[in-house]
Amino acid sequence: MAKHAALIRPKFELVENILTDEIASRGIGTWVKPLGGYFFGFEALSGCAKEIVAKCKEAGVTMTGAGSPFPYKKDPDDSVIRIAPTYPSLDELKKAAEEFVVVTRLVSVNKLLEALNHCYVLTDRRAIHCYVLTDRRAILCYVLTGRPIIGIFI
């Protein structure tokens, strides 16, 4: 077991570090650091898990299905995603975790902006381009960059 733990520990640490650096301060997801087992239990904003997993798949990142800890995968809040970092190599895992972060930010921003009329977020796989047509652009910028914004991206 010690050899097995030595193989997978760096993978869990990598994912933990990326999630901590890119998600924690933005309030768009939480997780419990696993003390054993093969999964991170990630909780996205309510109503976002299925879309995050679907967009990750479009980006080439294979994940377990949204709501997989629930019977029949029926998560009442559509917020729970299992992250299984044990299979890919460290390089593949780093790329996948970075894609997951970008997708999570995008889906979260869109969810937060649903309540704000006339707001749009467009993206491709490489960068997030934001066109915000409202005075309430601080939410958008904070989730994407973690910094406040003055002005509009064009």
Side-chain angles (χ1 to χ4, degrees):
M1 281 311 270
K3 288 181 183 179
H4 185 64
L7 287 173
I8 65 172
R9 184 177 297 113
K11 295 177 180 187
F12 278 84
E13 289 171 352
L14 174 70
V15 172
E16 172 78 17
N17 291 337
I18 290 173
L19 292 177
T20 299
D21 293 346
E22 302 296 334
I23 300 284
S25 65
R26 291 174 173 87
I28 57 173
T30 59
W31 63 95
V32 175
K33 184 176 181 178
L35 299 176
Y38 294 95
F39 300 102
F40 277 89
F42 182 82
E43 188 166 350
L45 297 178
S46 183
C48 292
K50 287 179 185 173
E51 189 175 354
I52 290 170
V53 171
K55 287 193 180 300
C56 281
K57 186 175 181 177
E58 289 175 23
V61 177
T62 303
M63 301 191 70
T64 57
S68 58
F70 292 87
Y72 308 107
K73 296 186 180 183
K74 297 203 185 280
D75 176 358
D77 291 327
D78 185 25
S79 63
V80 177
I81 301 170
R82 276 187 173 171
I83 300 173
T86 54
Y87 180 74
S89 69
L90 277 173
D91 289 338
E92 292 172 329
L93 184 60
K94 184 174 191 265
K95 290 175 189 171
E98 289 168 350
E99 289 277 349
F100 175 79
V101 165
V102 170
V103 168
T104 300
R105 286 185 185 180
L106 171 68
V107 172
S108 298
V109 164
N110 283 329
K111 187 68 173 176
L112 291 170
L113 293 177
E114 280 178 2
L116 304 175
N117 292 329
H118 310 294
C119 297
Y120 306 94
V121 177
L122 306 174
T123 186
D124 60 29
R125 285 182 62 191
R126 300 199 183 272
I128 296 176
H129 306 283
C130 307
Y131 300 90
V132 182
L133 307 172
T134 183
D135 291 336
R136 294 177 160 185
R137 59 192 169 271
I139 292 173
L140 168 69
C141 182
Y142 183 73
V143 171
L144 292 177
T145 68
R147 297 186 303 267
I149 178 176
I150 300 172
I152 298 175
F153 295 103
I154 298 182

